[in-house]
Amino acid sequence: AGIGKCVAMDLARRNARTILACRSRERGQAVVEEIRAATGNPAVLLRLLDTGSLASVRAFARAVLQEEPRLDVLVNNAGVTGLPFTITSEKLEQTFTTNYLGPFLLTNLLLG
């Protein structure tokens, strides 16, 4: 939703192969279908990613590096606010992990 969806829509309109990285399969697939219908671009894909989980970030990066011959643009747009203080299974604070550590790790892993 929001800025991420607008950016993905614009990239798809430019005929870019566009990967939406979403936590929710159902919500993400609905947006993929909406963008494909609006742009006529069939190369809009969904991959699951939770930046609040470093294991999820590592799995996503590994899959992208295996599946994609190149990556030209990365838009880190995930973020949360107002969550109660929570510690992840990896012993990290949830908001900090989702907003900073996850995107930082993702960027560094995708640099190759």
Side-chain angles (χ1 to χ4, degrees), residues 12-69:
R13 279 195 179 109
R14 296 168 188 258
N15 207 32
R17 180 173 171 84
T18 305
I19 301 171
L20 278 65
C22 303
R23 282 187 305 248
S24 166
R25 182 180 304 278
E26 295 76 24
R27 288 179 33 201
Q29 192 59 45
V31 174
V32 164
E33 291 168 15
E34 180 183 342
I35 292 173
R36 285 178 181 168
T39 65
N41 183 344
V44 179
L45 311 169
L46 173 65
R47 298 292 181 265
L48 296 181
L49 170 63
D50 177 0
T51 60
S53 163
L54 300 186
S56 175
V57 170
R58 286 185 178 94
F60 175 86
R62 192 169 35 254
V64 167
L65 291 172
Q66 288 175 347
E67 296 170 7
E68 302 299 325

Side-chain angles (χ1 to χ4, degrees), residues 74-112:
L74 173 64
V75 178
N76 281 317
N77 186 57
V80 294
T81 185
L83 296 179
F85 181 84
T86 306
I87 300 295
T88 70
S89 62
E90 297 160 312
K91 309 294 186 230
L92 301 165
E93 196 279 322
Q94 184 71 55
T95 301
F96 184 62
T97 303
T98 301
N99 294 350
Y100 299 99
L101 297 179
F104 179 82
L105 178 60
L106 179 62
T107 300
N108 281 278
L109 290 173
L110 292 177
L111 286 173

